[in-house]
Amino acid sequence: RDVQRAADEFITSIDAERVCALASLYHNGQPCRLFSEVKKGSYNLCYPVVFTSDPDSTDGEKWIVRIPWIPRIAFPEEKMRGEIATMK
């Protein structure tokens, strides 16, 4: 229960607008927004974002912004570096 409570608190602490602002930094400043609910995996939270200036459209380039669950991962930075190296 303590792990679940910590996980819930972690999810609540994340501001979706800041997730989009971060994604926009890596997409030439193009604005984005969430186009679906946040998905919860075993080790990551996945924020589905779409890059579009039209607030009513889901047309545009879509990304998944993955954030490691801090309460569930002992070494999140190492995990993320390994995943980035794998993608490259």
Side-chain angles (χ1 to χ4, degrees):
R1 291 217 171 253
D2 289 336
V3 172
Q4 185 59 46
R5 182 174 43 244
D8 291 341
E9 289 172 2
F10 179 69
I11 293 167
T12 310
S13 74
I14 297 173
D15 181 354
E17 287 184 28
R18 293 184 75 189
V19 170
C20 283
L22 178 64
S24 291
L25 286 174
Y26 291 92
H27 202 265
N28 297 320
Q30 186 177 0
C32 71
R33 64 178 175 75
L34 293 181
F35 69 87
S36 180
E37 290 183 26
V38 174
K39 309 297 183 207
K40 302 172 194 171
S42 296
Y43 300 103
N44 296 289
L45 300 174
C46 296
Y47 287 77
V49 300
V50 61
F51 291 92
T52 179
S53 55
D54 181 352
D56 298 320
S57 174
T58 56
D59 291 335
E61 188 172 344
K62 293 177 180 163
W63 286 10
I64 296 293
V65 178
R66 290 175 44 190
I67 299 176
W69 284 60
I70 299 301
R72 295 192 177 183
I73 298 173
F75 304 102
E77 274 188 53
E78 273 184 45
K79 180 182 182 300
M80 185 67 70
R81 282 191 204 121
E83 291 174 352
I84 291 168
T86 299
M87 286 187 270
K88 285 182 179 179

